[in-house]
Amino acid sequence: MSLDVQKKQNLKKRILCLHGYCQSGEILQKKTGAFRKILRDCEFIYITAPNKNESISSITGEDVYMWWETPENEYFTTCSHYVGIDNSLEFIKQVFKTCLLYTSDAADEEDSV
């Protein structure tokens, strides 16, 4: 067996874990303990969004973050620009070259495949 093949077999699969709205990498890590036990052979990488939600954090007393938000008085479905998304994508690109993001909340049932 060549050294390159052996190295590939010894590499753990890396799973990038992105938290939801008003959470953090730390919160998501706590919520996924059972899942990590099932996939022991994987490396889970939890990162926290760079945009802190000050208003929710002040209410809950816990630091919570978001990947983006809509401008005031706009809805997700009609919004043409999300505040903070560019900052978040640059932040993620520092960790990974490529990333696929998916949320079921972003698609209407008619748009789902």
Side-chain angles (χ1 to χ4, degrees):
M1 183 182 309
S2 75
L3 187 57
D4 288 336
V5 172
Q6 190 176 8
K7 280 183 181 179
K8 284 182 183 179
Q9 288 178 345
N10 292 333
L11 290 177
K12 282 187 169 187
K13 291 183 180 171
R14 298 173 74 202
I15 299 174
L16 175 61
C17 304
L18 303 176
H19 62 81
Y21 182 72
C22 289
Q23 293 185 23
S24 69
E26 183 180 351
I27 293 170
L28 182 59
Q29 185 174 15
K30 290 176 185 175
K31 291 181 176 184
T32 57
F35 188 68
R36 283 182 285 133
K37 285 180 184 177
I38 294 169
L39 298 173
R40 288 177 217 177
D41 296 338
C42 296
E43 176 186 1
F44 289 82
I45 299 155
Y46 295 88
I47 60 174
T48 297
N51 308 303
K52 185 174 180 182
N53 188 319
E54 297 287 350
S55 60
I56 302 291
S57 292
S58 66
I59 293 169
T60 63
E62 187 172 30
D63 290 343
V64 294
Y65 300 84
M66 57 195 163
W67 297 104
W68 66 82
E69 65 180 323
T70 56
E72 201 169 317
N73 299 323
E74 287 196 44
Y75 296 101
F76 282 111
T77 55
T78 59
C79 184
S80 61
H81 176 73
Y82 297 101
V83 177
I85 189 70
D86 295 332
N87 186 29
S88 292
L89 291 174
E90 284 302 315
F91 179 74
I92 292 169
K93 283 198 296 189
Q94 291 174 9
V95 180
F96 287 88
K97 286 185 178 182
T98 305
C99 184
L100 171 66
L101 304 176
Y102 173 81
T103 175
S104 59
D105 295 335
D108 292 332
E109 286 182 29
E110 296 172 3
D111 296 334
S112 299
V113 176

